[in-house]
C-alpha cells in the first residue's frame, strides 16, 4: 500500500471529482417516470385561527391532481421531539403536536396549511395561489420575555408559552449562589446569541413514491440522518411499517444541522404519492428555506463569574431564555440544555456551576441544532464574561485563563457541569497559538494600524466541546428518546476490493476519502480499492447519522471494530490455506504470513478463497468475508482549542475588518489533515459570519424581515481573512480505538467570542470604554457604541 494514503495522510478528497465536474446526484436531479410536483400554500401571518380553507377553485385548475389540507392528516401523529426534558420541579416539558399541515391554527409565517399536487410545478404554484383561506389574525408572540408574561399563547391547548424551566445541576444551585454571594469579585454580562439561518447550498427537496404492487414507499430526501427520518415517519407520523419504507439521502449540498430533522414536507409527498398513484416531488425555493428550515442559536443570557482575590474562578451562574420557535423540532430541546449546560464549566477548574434555561414558544420558525448546537452558545457566554472579568480586575486575558486551566495531570477530570473530560492540554494549545499568531509582534502591528487612523484589537478564546453525541446509556438517562451508537458493515468481495456500508451520512465531511484511509491502513491495502456506501436505509446498517462531530469518533470506531472482525476471520482462512494455526498468522502490508517463516498469502488470495470454500472445514470457517459492528461510545470526546483574532476598527464608520485568524485545535489523532483543515476553515467562516454579519430579524407582527439574501448578510470572500490552522498539539482520546475527537464544529464554536473580544480590545485601545456589543457586531452597532460611550 502506498505510504502516503493511510491514516495521517493529507489525501485529496475523492468525492470532489464528481462535485467539481458537475456530476453529483442530488435529490432535485432525480426525475422518475410519472413524477408530479408539490407546492405548499403557506401562511402570511404569524399567529391566527384558521376559520376556513376553500380549495375548490384550485382543484379545478389545469393539471391539478390533488389538494391536501390539515384535515387530511388529523388522524396521523405529530413529529416528536427527540429529547424529553423535565423542568426543575420535575414536570415534563410541554410538547404540543407538530402537524404535517397546520390544522386549526397557523403559528408562524411560512407555516404550511395546504399542498397542491399537479402535473408541473408551475401548475401547482398557480393552484396554490388560488386557495382561499380565512384566518382570524391574532397578535404575534415574538419577544421571549413578553411571551412568558402574557396570555397570548402559541399553543392554546398547553396554556403557556414556556416549554420547560430547566436547571443544571439542581444540586449545585445553593452552593453556586453561596459562592457568588461571598466572592471577592463578580463579573456580570448580559448577551444575545443571535438567531441564524443555516443557508446550506442545497435547499431541501423530497420525492415520495408509493408502489401499490408490494405496498412499499421510497423517500428520496436531503437528510443528514436517513434512518432517523425513516423511524420518525414510520413510528410516529404516518404509521408506515418500517420495513415498507426506504429512505435514501443521495448527495446532499450541506446541512449544518438543518437537515438532521424530519420535516412535514417529507410525510406529505409520501401520502400524496399513495393518493395519486404517482411519484411526487417537492423542492424548496430559497425564500421557503429562510421561512421554514430550522433556525439556529437565539439565546438571551445573563452570566455571572465569581472570582477570589487571586483571580481563581469560584462559580459560573447563567440564566438563559432559549427560543424554540412555533413547534418543537426533533433536537430543539437538547440543544439549549444538555448540549449547552453541560459545557458551562469550559476548560476551567471552577468548582461551582449552575445553569437555568427557560425554553419559550414564539410565533417564529422552529429553532434547532445549528453547527455546534449548544456548544457555541456556551463558549460565547463563558469566553465573553472571562474577557470582561480580566479587564475589570486588570489582568491579561490569557493570564486569567491560564490561571484557571485544568492541568494535564488532573485527567480524567470531573467538571462541575457534570462531564468527565478524558484528555487535553490547554496551556500547550495557548502556547502554540501565541507562537503561530506572532503575538509578540502585535504591538508593532497595532502601531501600523494607528498610523492609518484605525484601532487594532487582539482577541482570544479557549473552548472545549463535547462531541460524538453519546453514550446511549447516559443520554437515555438524561431524556434522549433514541440511541446514539453507529454501525458499519465491511464487505470484502471475491476480487479483493471492499464495500463499507456506514450509518453516518456524508454531506461535505469527506467520508468517502477518510473512511477508506482507516480500513486501508488496517488491512495494508490501497484505499482506492475501498468504496463507502451511505445514505440508503435499504443498503446500510441502522445508524444515527451525521451531526455533533460524531462521524469519525462513533461511525469510524464501528468501522474499526468491523474491520477487526474481518481480519480475525481472514487470519483463519489464511491459516487454513497455509496449514498453520490462526494465532501464528500476522498481517502486514496486505500479506498474511506465518510468523517466523517465509510462507505468505496476499489479502486478495484470501478474499478469493473466502468465496471458493471447496476444502473449508465448514464447522469452523463459514464461506464469505463480511462483518458488521455496532459501536456505542463510553463517553463524549472533548476537542479543545485556543483561538486568536486581530481586527481593525475604523472609529469613523464602525467598520470591522478581520485581519488575522489563528485556530489551534486539539482533535486527538488526525486521519486526514487536509480534510480537517478544510472543516476548520468552513467553521471559521460561519463563526465570523455570526459575529459580524448574520442576524435573523422578525418584526413585532412576526414577519421575517431577513427572508432573502438581499436582507440577510452572509459572509463573502472579502469579509474573511486568510486563516492559520494548526492541529499539531493533539492529545489522543482515551476511549475510542482511533484516539480521535471530532473537528467539524470547532471553527464555528471558537471564532465568535474571539472576534467580539478582539473588537472590544480594539475599541478600548482607542480610549473608549465599551465593554460589550451584541452580535452581529455590525458597523452601525460599533459606531453607536463608540458614540454613546
Amino acid at each position: 500500500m502506498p505510504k502516503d494514503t493511510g491514516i495521517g495522510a493529507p489525501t485529496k478528497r475523492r468525492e470532489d471529482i464528481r462535485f467539481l465536474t458537475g456530476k453529483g446526484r442530488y435529490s432535485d436531479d432525480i426525475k422518475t417516470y410519472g413524477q408530479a410536483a408539490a407546492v405548499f400554500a403557506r401562511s402570511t401571518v404569524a399567529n391566527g385561527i384558521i376559520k376556513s380553507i376553500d380549495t375548490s377553485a384550485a382543484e379545478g385548475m389545469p393539471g391539478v391532481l390533488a389538494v391536501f389540507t390539515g384535515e387530511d392528516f388529523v388522524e396521523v401523529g405529530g413529529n416528536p421531539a427527540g429529547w424529553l426534558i423535565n423542568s426543575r420541579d420535575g414536570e415534563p416539558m410541554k410538547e404540543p403536536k407538530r402537524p404535517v399541515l397546520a390544522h386549526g391554527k397557523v403559528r408562524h409565517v411560512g407555516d404550511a396549511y395546504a399542498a397542491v399536487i399537479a402535473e408541473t410545478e408551475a401548475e401547482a404554484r398557480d393552484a396554490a395561489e388560488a386557495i382561499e383561506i380565512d384566518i382570524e389574525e391574532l397578535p404575534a408572540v415574538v419577544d421571549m420575555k413578553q411571551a412568558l408574561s402574557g396570555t397570548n399563547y402559541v399553543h392554546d391547548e398547553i396554556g403557556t408559552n414556556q416549554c420547560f424551566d430547566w436547571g443544571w445541576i439542581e444540586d449545585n444551585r445553593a452552593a453556586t449562589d453561596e459562592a457568588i454571594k461571598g466572592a471577592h469579585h463578580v463579573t456580570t454580562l448580559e448577551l444575545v446569541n443571535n438567531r441564524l439561518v443555516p443557508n446550506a447550498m442545497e435547499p431541501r427537496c423530497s420525492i415520495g413514491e408509493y408502489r401499490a404492487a408490494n405496498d412499499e414507499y421510497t423517500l428520496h430526501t436531503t437528510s443528514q440522518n436517513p434512518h432517523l427520518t425513516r423511524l420518525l415517519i414510520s413510528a410516529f407520523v404516518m404509521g408506515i411499517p418500517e420495513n415498507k419504507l426506504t429512505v435514501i439521502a443521495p448527495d446532499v449540498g450541506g446541512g449544518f444541522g438543518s437537515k438532521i430533522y424530519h420535516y412535514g414536507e417529507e410525510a406529505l409527498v409520501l401520502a400524496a404519492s399513495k393518493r395519486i398513484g404517482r411519484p411526487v416531488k417537492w423542492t424548496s425555493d430559497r425564500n421557503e428555506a429562510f421561512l421554514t428550515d430550522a433556525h439556529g442559536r437565539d439565546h438571551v443570557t445573563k452570566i455571572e463569574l465569581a472570582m477570589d482575590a487571586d483571580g481563581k474562578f469560584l462559580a459560573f451562574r447563567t440564566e438563559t431564555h432559549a427560543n424554540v420557535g412555533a413547534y418543537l423540532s426533533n433536537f430543539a430541546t437538547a440543544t439549549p440544555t444538555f448540549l449547552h449546560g453541560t459545557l458551562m464549566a469550559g476548560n476551567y477548574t471552577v468548582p461551582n456551576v449552575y445553569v437555568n434555561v427557560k425554553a419559550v414558544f414564539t410565533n417564529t420558525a422552529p429553532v434547532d441544532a445549528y453547527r455546534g448546537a449548544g456548544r457555541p452558545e456556551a463558549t460565547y457566554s463563558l469566553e465573553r464574561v472571562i474577557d470582561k472579568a480580566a479587564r475589570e480586575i486588570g489582568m491579561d486575558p490569557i493570564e486569567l485563563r491560564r490561571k484557571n486551566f485544568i492541568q494535564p495531570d488532573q485527567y480524567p477530570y470531573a467538571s462541575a457541569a457534570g462531564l468527565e473530560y478524558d484528555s487535553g492540554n490547554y496551556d500547550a494549545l495557548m502556547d502554540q497559538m501565541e507562537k503561530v499568531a506572532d503575538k509578540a509582534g502585535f504591538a508593532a502591528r497595532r502601531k501600523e494600524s494607528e498610523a492609518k487612523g484605525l484601532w487594532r484589537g487582539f482577541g482570544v478564546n479557549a473552548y472545549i466541546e463535547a462531541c460524538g453525541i453519546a453514550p446511549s446509556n447516559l443520554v437515555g438517562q438524561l431524556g434522549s428518546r433514541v440511541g446514539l451508537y453507529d454501525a458499519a458493515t465491511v464487505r470484502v468481495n471475491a476480487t479483493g476490493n471492499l464495500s463499507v456500508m456506514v450509518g453516518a451520512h456524508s454531506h461535505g465531511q469527506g467520508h468517502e476519502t477518510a473512511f477508506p484511509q482507516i480500513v486501508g491502513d488496517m488491512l495494508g491495502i490501497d484505499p482506492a480499492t475501498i468504496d463507502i456506501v451511505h445514505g440508503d436505509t435499504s443498503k446500510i446498517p441502522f445508524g444515527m447519522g451525521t451531526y455533533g462531530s460524531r462521524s469519525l469518533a462513533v461511525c469510524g470506531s464501528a468501522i474499526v471494530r468491523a474491520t477487526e472482525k474481518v481480519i480475525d476471520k481472514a487470519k483463519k482462512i489464511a491459516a487454513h490455506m497455509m496449514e498453520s494455526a490462526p494465532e501464528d498468522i500476522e498481517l502486514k502490508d496486505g500479506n498474511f504470513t506465518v510468523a517466523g517463516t517465509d510462507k505468505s498469502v496476499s489479502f486478495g488470495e484470501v478474499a478469493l478463497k473466502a468465496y471458493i470454500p471447496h476444502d473449508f472445514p465448514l464447522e469452523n470457517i463459514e464461506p464469505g468475508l463480511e462483518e458488521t459492528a455496532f459501536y456505542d461510545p463510553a463517553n463524549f470526546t472533548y476537542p479543545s482549542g485556543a483561538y486568536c483574532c486581530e481586527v481593525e476598527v475604523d472609529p469613523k464608520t464602525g467598520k470591522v475588518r478581520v485581519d488575522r485568524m489563528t485556530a489551534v485545535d486539539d482533535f486527538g489523532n488526525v486521519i486526514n489533515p487536509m480534510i480537517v483543515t478544510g472543516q476548520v476553515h468552513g467553521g471559521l467562516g460561519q463563526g465570523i459570519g455570526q459575529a459580524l454579519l448574520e442576524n435573523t430579524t422578525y418584526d413585532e407582527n412576526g414577519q421575517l424581515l431577513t427572508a432573502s439574501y438581499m436582507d440577510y448578510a452572509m459572509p463573502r470572500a472579502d469579509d474573511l481573512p486568510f486563516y492559520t490552522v494548526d492541529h499539531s498539539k493533539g492529545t489522543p482520546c482515551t476511549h475510542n480505538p482511533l484516539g480521535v475527537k471530532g473537528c467539524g464544529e470547532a471553527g464555528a464554536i471558537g471564532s465568535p467570542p474571539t472576534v467580539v473580544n478582539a473588537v472590544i480590545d480594539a475599541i478600548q485601545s482607542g480610549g473608549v470604554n465599551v465593554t460589550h456589543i451584541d452580535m452581529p457586531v455590525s458597523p452601525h452597532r460599533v459606531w453607536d457604541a463608540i458614540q454613546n460611550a
Side-chain angles (χ1 to χ4, degrees), residues 735-768:
H735 56 77
N736 68 52
L738 288 166
V740 297
K741 292 185 176 181
C743 68
E745 298 162 299
I749 294 170
S751 52
T754 314
V755 173
V756 178
N757 288 343
V759 172
I760 298 301
D761 184 62
I763 295 172
Q764 294 211 350
S765 77
V768 180

Side-chain angles (χ1 to χ4, degrees), residues 47 85 87 91-99 105 107 141 147-148 150-165 324-328 333 359-363:
N47 192 21
I85 301 297
S87 289
E91 181 182 357
M93 68 187 189
K94 299 294 190 293
E95 189 175 7
K97 180 179 178 179
R98 184 179 185 183
K105 194 176 185 184
R107 295 181 170 88
V141 180
L148 294 180
T151 56
N152 183 25
Y153 302 131
V154 178
H155 296 274
D156 302 289
E157 67 273 21
I158 63 173
T160 179
N161 287 321
Q162 182 170 284
C163 179
F164 55 76
D165 180 358
V324 294
Y327 301 103
L328 289 181
T333 55
V360 185
F361 290 110
T362 62
N363 292 122

Side-chain angles (χ1 to χ4, degrees), residues 6 24 127 187 192 200 290 297 313 324 338 342 351 368 370 373 429 465 469 475 494 499 502 535 561 699 725 732 763:
T187 295
V192 173
F290 270 96
R297 313 289 192 249
F313 297 167
V324 294
F338 291 109
T342 54
D368 207 321
Y370 170 71
L429 293 171
E465 179 186 5
I469 311 299
V475 298
S499 297
V502 296
R561 296 292 185 239
D699 70 11
V725 174
I763 295 172

Side-chain angles (χ1 to χ4, degrees), residues 164-176:
F164 55 76
D165 180 358
W166 180 79
W168 185 258
I169 297 172
E170 199 64 26
D171 289 347
N172 292 357
R173 186 178 184 183
T176 303

Side-chain angles (χ1 to χ4, degrees), residues 14-15 33 59 105 115 212 254 272 407 450 524 544 560 654 659 703:
R14 63 167 75 172
E15 50 266 69
Y33 178 76
E59 290 168 351
K105 194 176 185 184
Q407 296 302 306
E450 289 172 348
M544 294 310 299
V560 170
D659 184 57
Q703 294 294 329

Side-chain angles (χ1 to χ4, degrees), residues 607-616:
L608 183 61
K609 184 65 176 175
Y611 293 94
I612 308 177
H614 293 167
D615 59 350
F616 273 18

Side-chain angles (χ1 to χ4, degrees), residues 229-466:
T229 297
R230 185 182 74 165
L231 175 66
L232 292 171
I233 292 174
S234 64
F236 298 98
V237 180
M238 295 187 68
I240 299 170
E242 208 169 355
N243 63 323
K244 292 292 186 180
L245 173 61
T246 297
V247 176
I248 300 171
D251 288 331
V252 172
F256 313 121
S258 69
K259 295 173 184 172
I260 301 171
Y261 337 111
H262 165 57
Y263 292 87
E265 292 91 349
E266 293 168 321
L268 186 285
V269 295
L270 290 170
S273 177
K274 185 172 184 178
R275 164 87 71 90
I276 71 171
R278 291 166 56 178
V280 175
K281 177 179 180 178
W282 167 75
T283 301
S284 169
D285 62 32
R286 186 59 67 179
N287 181 246
E288 281 183 294
F290 270 96
L291 292 171
T292 66
D293 288 0
H295 294 172
R297 313 289 192 249
D298 207 350
H299 287 191
V300 177
T301 297
K302 176 184 176 182
I303 181 168
E304 296 164 283
L305 164 57
M307 297 177 288
D308 68 14
D310 295 323
K312 289 288 288 183
F313 297 167
L314 301 175
F316 288 110
R317 181 171 65 191
T318 67
E319 298 175 11
T320 291
H321 288 80
N323 199 338
V324 294
Y327 301 103
L328 289 181
S329 182
N330 295 142
F331 289 98
T333 55
T335 299
T337 55
F338 291 109
L339 299 183
H340 161 252
T342 54
L343 267 295
M344 286 305 298
N347 314 45
Y348 308 108
T349 55
V350 57
N352 299 291
V353 171
Y354 181 69
V355 180
N356 175 229
V357 178
K358 293 178 175 66
V360 185
F361 290 110
T362 62
N363 292 122
T364 63
V367 179
D368 207 321
Y370 170 71
R371 197 171 193 168
R375 283 70 56 85
E377 294 90 321
T379 300
Y380 183 69
S381 298
L382 288 172
E383 293 299 305
R384 280 294 298 123
V385 79
I386 291 170
D387 238 54
K388 186 170 185 278
R391 296 183 186 282
E392 288 177 354
I393 66 174
M395 185 179 291
D396 178 80
I398 293 178
E399 181 186 350
L400 181 59
R401 289 171 170 86
R402 287 185 186 275
K403 182 181 282 287
N404 290 280
F405 277 158
I406 301 162
Q407 296 302 306
D409 61 0
Q410 293 180 275
Y411 293 102
Y413 184 83
S415 86
L419 298 178
E420 184 175 279
Y421 306 157
D422 68 305
S423 61
N425 190 334
Y426 311 132
D427 280 302
L429 293 171
M430 195 65 81
D431 289 343
Q432 186 72 357
M433 181 275 286
E434 292 193 58
K435 176 183 175 182
V436 299
D438 184 26
K439 184 174 184 293
F442 171 72
R445 293 191 294 275
R446 171 170 274 176
K447 287 184 178 180
E448 291 173 3
S449 297
E450 289 172 348
K452 298 183 292 183
L454 304 174
W455 297 339
R456 179 176 283 264
F458 187 94
V460 300
N461 159 53
Y463 79 88
I464 189 168
E465 179 186 5

Side-chain angles (χ1 to χ4, degrees), residues 490-500 516 519-520 523-531 563 566 570 587 590 592 602-612 624-625:
V490 176
R491 176 182 298 160
V492 181
N493 300 310
T495 52
N497 49 48
L498 281 76
S499 297
V500 180
V519 179
L523 297 176
I525 62 175
D526 189 343
T529 65
I530 302 166
D531 256 354
T563 305
V566 165
L587 172 60
F592 295 92
S602 69
F603 180 81
E605 291 173 308
V606 171
L608 183 61
K609 184 65 176 175
Y611 293 94
I612 308 177
L625 193 51

